[in-house]
Amino acid sequence: MTTVLLIPLLLPFVVPLLAPRALARLTPVTALWALTVAALVLAGAVVAALGCLVLTGLLRVPAFAALGELVHPLRTPSDYAVLPAAVIATGLLTIGAWTLGRSALRQTRAFRTARAEADRRPTAGDLCVIDAPHPDAYALPGRPNRIVVTTAMLRSLGPDERDALFAHERAHNRGGHHYFLAAAELAAHCHPALRSARAVIRLAAERAADESAAAVVGDRRLLARAIARAALAGHATSSTRPDLAPAATAGPVPQRVAALLATPAPRTRRSMCWAALLLAASPALSATAVATGAITFHHEVEIAQGEVPR
């Protein structure tokens, strides 16, 4: 059982290899969904595996074995392996919960501050203009959704570039991309290897918004120029926007601009299917392994409780 539970802890390390390739071979929207679901499944399997290791170690302690109504010793590998594994798993779960809680608190405060500031300003439709000396623009989800832009950013762009930038931010709100970014942030706190997935998911969200905005604007070069100029304008100053608020200047801007200016490469159905299958293999194997380990653990507990013959 303990060996099986190691599989979900190791499989996230393949994400840095698979995620960029999946984004290159799938459409941005498909890649965004596939990467987010894969990251969440892998993260859930990691937490479940660590939880099983913690419970296994606890039930080796007489006091907890009595609470679990165990009449026989729980059959596990040597205590020299189980107890240290349980201690390490407890530490990892504690650290993950602590960092996730801090991140959630920080992001909640940032969203509340940004929302309060936007609600105090006059709006034109979904557009909210803030008088600020630093160029910035981002999509602010909520009821209703807002496009927040500073006066410095408006001065940095021409009229057509402003419209292109607004189309990009509206695509973020329309696609609910903040949910994907929040899911990626959650997964990143469950396993260190999933931090790379967080970066690729953010890039996929930006690429999806780029393609949606390009279809609305009808001019890929104009959109690429608007994104590049907005990124250059805001590069020298620090942004006050929440980390999970999508923005046209986020992610590797040169890579996004190059994708907008290049002729879209044809995607064959075969290459897309292979990319999707390879990406799905890791979370599927991880979920299977943790389910097998959990079922085995439950069966061993039943044996120790005397409910099943030894």
Side-chain angles (χ1 to χ4, degrees), residues 47-155:
V47 173
L50 292 175
C52 287
L53 291 174
V54 171
L55 289 176
T56 302
L58 287 177
L59 291 178
R60 295 293 297 177
V61 178
F64 288 99
L67 288 176
E69 300 179 348
L70 303 189
V71 297
H72 305 293
L74 185 67
R75 295 189 302 185
T76 63
S78 170
D79 289 348
Y80 292 106
V82 172
L83 295 181
V87 171
I88 294 173
T90 301
L92 293 175
L93 286 174
T94 302
I95 293 173
W98 171 254
T99 58
L100 178 60
R102 288 183 58 188
S103 175
L105 182 60
R106 184 178 67 253
Q107 291 301 319
T108 300
R109 288 175 176 172
F111 265 113
R112 286 179 177 175
T113 300
R115 192 73 203 186
E117 186 176 11
D119 290 341
R120 290 196 300 267
R121 306 285 179 172
T123 59
D126 62 347
L127 184 63
C128 175
V129 179
I130 296 177
D131 187 11
H134 58 277
D136 200 6
Y138 56 90
L140 183 64
R143 296 184 179 179
N145 293 329
R146 292 278 185 250
I147 304 300
V148 178
V149 61
T150 63
T151 52
M153 179 62 81
L154 293 178
R155 290 193 294 268

Side-chain angles (χ1 to χ4, degrees), residues 116-288:
E117 186 176 11
D119 290 341
R120 290 196 300 267
R121 306 285 179 172
T123 59
D126 62 347
L127 184 63
C128 175
V129 179
I130 296 177
D131 187 11
H134 58 277
D136 200 6
Y138 56 90
L140 183 64
R143 296 184 179 179
N145 293 329
R146 292 278 185 250
I147 304 300
V148 178
V149 61
T150 63
T151 52
M153 179 62 81
L154 293 178
R155 290 193 294 268
S156 302
L157 303 176
D160 291 341
E161 293 169 341
R162 295 174 193 167
D163 292 338
L165 184 69
F166 298 158
H168 176 97
E169 305 301 355
R170 288 190 178 100
H172 277 311
N173 279 336
R174 188 168 56 250
H177 292 166
H178 56 286
Y179 292 118
F180 295 93
L181 300 185
E185 183 71 16
L186 171 63
H189 289 279
C190 295
H191 196 288
L194 295 178
R195 294 172 186 170
S196 61
R198 175 177 57 185
V200 180
I201 288 172
R202 179 173 288 275
L203 175 57
E206 295 303 327
R207 287 286 299 116
D210 288 342
E211 294 300 326
S212 178
V216 172
V217 174
D219 189 339
R220 298 177 69 89
R221 296 186 65 86
L222 171 61
L223 179 62
R225 186 171 69 248
I227 292 173
R229 292 191 62 180
L232 288 174
H235 179 70
T237 59
S238 59
S239 173
T240 59
R241 68 174 176 266
D243 292 341
L244 300 184
T249 56
V253 174
Q255 182 178 343
R256 292 168 50 207
V257 170
L260 284 170
L261 295 179
T263 302
R267 294 183 174 90
T268 63
R269 181 173 297 181
R270 176 177 295 181
S271 65
M272 294 177 66
C273 288
W274 273 112
L277 288 174
L278 287 175
L279 185 61
S282 294
L285 181 58
S286 184
T288 302

